[in-house]
Amino acid sequence: RLNRPSFATRPVNMEIKKRIIITDDGPGVQDAFRLILERAGYEVEVFSNGQPLLTGQFTRPDLIILDRQLFGVDGLDICRHLK
């Protein structure tokens, strides 16, 4: 029998949460996303405008949910910038 290395790098009860950034200028939309995603076990950061994404003032997330029609900037322009 071969000794196989264990690939477990952390205890089972110490789960690393996936990070999601929500960028939307609607407070109701922000609250709904935060509530749903936090209950599902995600770490959520919310921005009400695209400036943090355009200026690099954020920690890289696993997913960004971005409103296409933010006040003052097109969400597609932010996507192009981040790409």
Side-chain angles (χ1 to χ4, degrees):
R1 220 173 149 179
L2 296 173
N3 287 333
R4 295 185 180 165
S6 171
F7 292 103
T9 58
R10 60 185 184 262
V12 175
N13 63 349
M14 299 238 355
E15 186 175 320
I16 296 175
K17 290 185 175 185
K18 297 285 185 179
R19 294 189 69 251
I20 298 176
I21 289 178
I22 307 298
T23 306
D24 196 293
D25 50 8
V29 174
Q30 293 173 359
D31 292 343
F33 271 119
R34 181 186 296 275
L35 180 67
I36 292 166
L37 294 170
E38 285 181 347
R39 284 186 179 176
Y42 295 98
E43 179 184 332
V44 178
E45 186 171 6
V46 175
F47 298 129
S48 59
N49 62 62
Q51 285 306 311
L53 298 177
L54 292 170
T55 58
Q57 298 175 353
F58 64 96
T59 302
R60 186 175 178 178
D62 297 289
L63 176 69
I64 296 174
I65 299 175
L66 177 63
D67 184 357
R68 180 154 188 270
Q69 297 178 348
L70 289 169
F71 180 75
V73 65
D74 186 335
L76 289 178
D77 291 336
I78 295 173
C79 287
R80 287 184 197 101
H81 174 78
L82 293 171
K83 184 178 176 184

